[in-house]
Amino acid sequence: MKVWVDRNICDNHGQCAIAAPDNFSLDADGVLQYKEDFPDADLEYIEDAMDVCPVQAIFLKGEQ
Ligand code: SF4
Protein backbone atom coordinates (compact mmCIF):
# COMPACT_ATOMS: atom_id res chain seq x y z
CA MET A 1 0.00 0.00 0.00
CA LYS A 2 1.04 3.63 -0.39
CA VAL A 3 0.73 6.71 1.75
CA TRP A 4 1.08 10.35 0.76
CA VAL A 5 1.66 13.52 2.76
CA ASP A 6 0.45 16.89 1.52
CA ARG A 7 3.51 19.02 2.26
CA ASN A 8 1.50 22.17 1.70
CA ILE A 9 -0.34 21.54 4.95
CA CYS A 10 2.14 19.39 6.94
CA ASP A 11 3.61 21.44 9.80
CA ASN A 12 6.51 19.03 10.52
CA HIS A 13 5.57 18.54 14.16
CA GLY A 14 6.24 14.84 13.84
CA GLN A 15 3.29 13.21 15.60
CA CYS A 16 3.16 10.74 12.72
CA ALA A 17 6.76 9.72 13.46
CA ILE A 18 5.72 8.72 16.97
CA ALA A 19 2.70 6.73 15.75
CA ALA A 20 4.43 5.01 12.83
CA PRO A 21 8.21 5.37 13.22
CA ASP A 22 8.95 2.76 10.54
CA ASN A 23 7.41 5.02 7.93
CA PHE A 24 7.74 8.59 9.18
CA SER A 25 10.66 10.48 10.68
CA LEU A 26 11.97 14.00 11.00
CA ASP A 27 15.40 14.62 9.49
CA ALA A 28 18.19 16.65 11.09
CA ASP A 29 16.56 19.83 9.82
CA GLY A 30 13.22 18.88 11.37
CA VAL A 31 11.62 18.15 8.01
CA LEU A 32 9.33 15.18 7.62
CA GLN A 33 10.70 12.26 5.62
CA TYR A 34 8.54 9.27 4.85
CA LYS A 35 8.30 6.14 2.74
CA GLU A 36 5.40 5.99 0.33
CA ASP A 37 5.30 2.21 0.29
CA PHE A 38 4.44 0.23 3.37
CA PRO A 39 3.48 -3.40 4.03
CA ASP A 40 -0.20 -4.18 4.58
CA ALA A 41 0.65 -5.30 8.12
CA ASP A 42 1.61 -1.71 8.99
CA LEU A 43 -1.76 -0.24 7.98
CA GLU A 44 -2.87 0.11 11.61
CA TYR A 45 0.18 2.27 12.37
CA ILE A 46 -0.36 4.37 9.28
CA GLU A 47 -3.99 4.88 10.30
CA ASP A 48 -2.82 5.88 13.78
CA ALA A 49 -0.50 8.43 12.17
CA MET A 50 -3.40 9.77 10.09
CA ASP A 51 -5.51 10.06 13.25
CA VAL A 52 -2.89 11.95 15.27
CA CYS A 53 -1.80 14.33 12.51
CA PRO A 54 -3.13 17.67 13.76
CA VAL A 55 -3.66 19.04 10.26
CA GLN A 56 -4.88 15.84 8.57
CA ALA A 57 -2.08 15.94 6.02
CA ILE A 58 -1.69 12.15 5.59
CA PHE A 59 -3.64 10.27 2.95
CA LEU A 60 -3.73 6.73 1.67
CA LYS A 61 -2.82 7.02 -1.99
CA GLY A 62 -5.87 6.98 -4.18
CA GLU A 63 -8.14 8.11 -1.33
CA GLN A 64 -7.33 11.80 -1.37
S1 SF4 B 1 1.82 14.58 11.99
FE1 SF4 B 1 1.01 15.55 10.13
S2 SF4 B 1 1.74 17.64 10.25
FE2 SF4 B 1 2.96 16.47 11.69
S3 SF4 B 1 4.80 15.87 10.54
FE3 SF4 B 1 3.30 14.21 10.36
S4 SF4 B 1 2.20 14.68 8.45
FE4 SF4 B 1 3.22 16.52 9.07
Side-chain angles (χ1 to χ4, degrees):
M1 299 185 75
K2 288 182 186 272
V3 67
W4 176 77
V5 174
D6 186 341
R7 291 190 179 275
N8 291 319
I9 54 178
C10 169
D11 62 9
N12 296 302
H13 284 182
Q15 286 88 337
C16 55
I18 296 169
D22 285 350
N23 242 80
F24 301 91
S25 62
L26 296 184
D27 68 16
D29 295 322
V31 176
L32 175 68
Q33 303 298 326
Y34 70 101
K35 295 183 280 189
E36 274 196 358
D37 294 294
F38 65 90
D40 289 358
D42 284 354
L43 179 59
E44 64 179 297
Y45 302 110
I46 300 294
E47 288 180 335
D48 284 349
M50 294 169 74
D51 286 344
V52 298
C53 177
V55 293
Q56 301 290 287
I58 305 171
F59 302 90
L60 292 177
K61 243 182 167 176
E63 291 191 3
Q64 195 200 352

